[in-house]
Amino acid sequence: MAYRWKNDLTRADATPEWAFLNRRQLIAGAAAAAGITALGGAARAAAAEEGDLSPNSWEEITNYCNFYEFGTGKTDPASNAGAMTTTPWQIKIDGLVDRPGTYDLTEILAKMTVEERIYRLRCVEAWSMVVPWSGFELADLLDMVGVQDGARYVAFETLHRPEEMPGTRYPVLDWPYREGLRLDEARHPLTIMATGLYGKPLPNQNGAPIRLVVPWKYGFKSIKSVVRITLTDKEPFATWNQTNAREYGFYSNVNPEVDHPRWSQASERRIGGGLFSARQPTLMFNGYGGEVTSLYEGMDLAKHF
Ligand SMILES: Nc1nc2c(c(=O)[nH]1)N[C@H]1C(S)=C(S)[C@@H](COP(=O)(O)O)O[C@H]1N2
Ligand SMILES: [Mo]
């Protein structure tokens, strides 16, 4: 696997995961030795910045999840997702593509470049994490199947297997979970299909064996355990958008200036913040504005939220 970081958190470039861990241990050790209150302004600022740069722990990322197919509680996916069979895994790719078909994941992975990306994840519920994914660019998969001229959107579908997914026995959502992106969003180099976490295969509760990750959008756009990808000329069905269009837009770009009807989106609670766990300001496009603002030129982002 190639280790390469691109368009991720500042200063994180080319720094392997274990370097973060070591640096965090060093800071924790220094704080303990000096006594918390002895932390000067500079050290505190450095530690706060470190907090922003450090990925959340494996335990945090794999135990605090949203995956309603396994229940609506944050720890339900960790408890229940073990029942999901993920091998073999096939993805049906259809619609406006030159080479539609049902592809084995192993066949896809043989052709993709898997690399590590440390991304912020901002849930629409106003909590956030930093996650060291491994995955490949969705654009490469789209090139593999050949996108036809008329295609404007990409639709995604999660596995729907009630016998392994207890949450889908209840009409909480209109199963299967579905999501969609505009084609230019899907082709953006920040958009990946993730297959791993901390260099290990993706745990079931995080969307094994393959899930979408779109770091500048609210977490629910990053659909898990994908079994179908369809190229279309129309805006596709998106589960949360269809469930409540007033509260969840099709775009759902992270935007601190557009509040959810029931809560503010101006700040977020970083999971596992510990000592420095004060709410932190939410960044426009989750901090990826430099890369993605141009995708939305001329659009009213309060209207197309
Ligand atoms: N199929 C499916 N995908 C899903 C969800 C879900 O319930 N079902 N939850 C979404 C939400 S709300 C978030 S915040 C992220 C959470 O990803 P994580 O649990 O790996 O952190 O997954 C998204 N993908
Ligand atoms: Mo979410």
Side-chain angles (χ1 to χ4, degrees):
M1 181 170 77
Y3 281 91
R4 186 156 66 90
W5 283 263
K6 193 166 67 181
N7 295 316
D8 55 19
L9 301 171
T10 47
R11 276 178 39 189
D13 303 85
T15 309
E17 171 236 316
W18 48 90
F20 284 101
L21 298 178
N22 289 341
R23 205 144 29 102
R24 190 161 49 182
Q25 278 157 13
L26 273 174
I27 284 173
I36 304 309
T37 52
L39 265 186
R44 178 177 284 269
E49 188 189 357
E50 175 68 15
D52 186 52
L53 291 174
S54 299
N56 279 84
S57 69
W58 172 269
E59 285 68 29
E60 287 158 357
I61 298 167
T62 62
N63 287 296
Y64 190 93
C65 298
N66 273 335
F67 200 166
Y68 277 21
E69 286 85 337
F70 297 101
T72 55
K74 291 288 178 282
T75 58
D76 289 342
S79 305
N80 301 330
M84 177 170 61
T85 312
T86 58
T87 44
W89 191 269
Q90 295 177 321
I91 303 180
K92 181 176 179 180
I93 308 181
D94 61 355
L96 299 170
V97 295
D98 294 333
R99 292 171 288 282
T102 299
Y103 293 85
D104 276 315
L105 181 56
T106 48
E107 174 189 358
I108 292 171
L109 287 176
K111 294 185 178 140
M112 297 293 123
T113 306
V114 173
E115 54 185 77
E116 189 143 332
R117 299 282 182 95
I118 301 176
Y119 283 162
R120 295 186 192 83
L121 173 83
R122 171 49 159 90
C123 176
V124 73
E125 299 164 333
W127 54 266
S128 66
M129 294 194 195
V130 176
V131 185
W133 304 109
S134 24
F136 57 85
E137 292 183 11
L138 175 57
D140 291 342
L141 180 60
L142 296 178
D143 288 342
M144 189 188 104
V145 294
V147 175
Q148 295 183 345
D149 279 348
R152 292 183 54 219
Y153 294 90
V154 187
F156 304 85
E157 220 174 278
T158 293
L159 176 73
H160 181 40
R161 198 182 280 153
E163 64 277 21
E164 294 182 359
M165 299 174 137
T168 67
R169 292 172 205 155
Y170 308 93
V172 183
L173 295 172
D174 180 1
W175 314 108
Y177 194 103
R178 280 157 287 173
E179 258 308 335
L181 296 173
R182 222 169 52 189
L183 183 58
D184 58 343
E185 299 176 320
R187 296 198 72 97
H188 192 281
L190 282 175
T191 304
I192 59 167
M193 298 302 295
T195 53
L197 196 59
Y198 271 112
K200 297 181 198 147
L202 207 54
N204 283 5
Q205 60 266 39
N206 295 97
I210 183 165
R211 58 96 56 90
L212 178 70
V213 178
V214 194
W216 72 92
K217 292 178 179 282
Y218 290 121
F220 67 82
K221 296 294 289 184
S222 293
I223 182 174
K224 295 177 170 182
S225 305
V226 171
V227 292
R228 187 174 180 187
I229 298 175
T230 307
L231 278 289
T232 73
D233 57 356
K234 287 180 198 68
E235 187 179 288
F237 183 101
T239 295
W240 280 104
N241 176 229
Q242 293 290 323
T243 302
N244 191 340
R246 203 177 73 84
E247 299 194 349
Y248 308 101
F250 175 77
Y251 284 92
S252 282
N253 294 313
V254 174
N255 189 340
E257 285 159 25
V258 177
D259 288 336
H260 187 279
R262 290 182 281 131
W263 58 84
S264 165
Q265 293 293 27
S267 69
E268 62 201 53
R269 178 175 59 93
R270 171 78 190 276
I271 300 302
L275 192 55
F276 304 101
S277 64
R279 289 184 79 87
Q280 59 187 51
T282 287
L283 304 172
M284 186 65 200
F285 294 117
N286 205 21
Y288 301 98
E291 285 84 9
V292 303
T293 303
S294 62
L295 292 175
Y296 307 103
E297 235 161 48
M299 272 177 69
D300 179 349
L301 295 179
K303 193 169 162 227
H304 300 281
F305 62 96

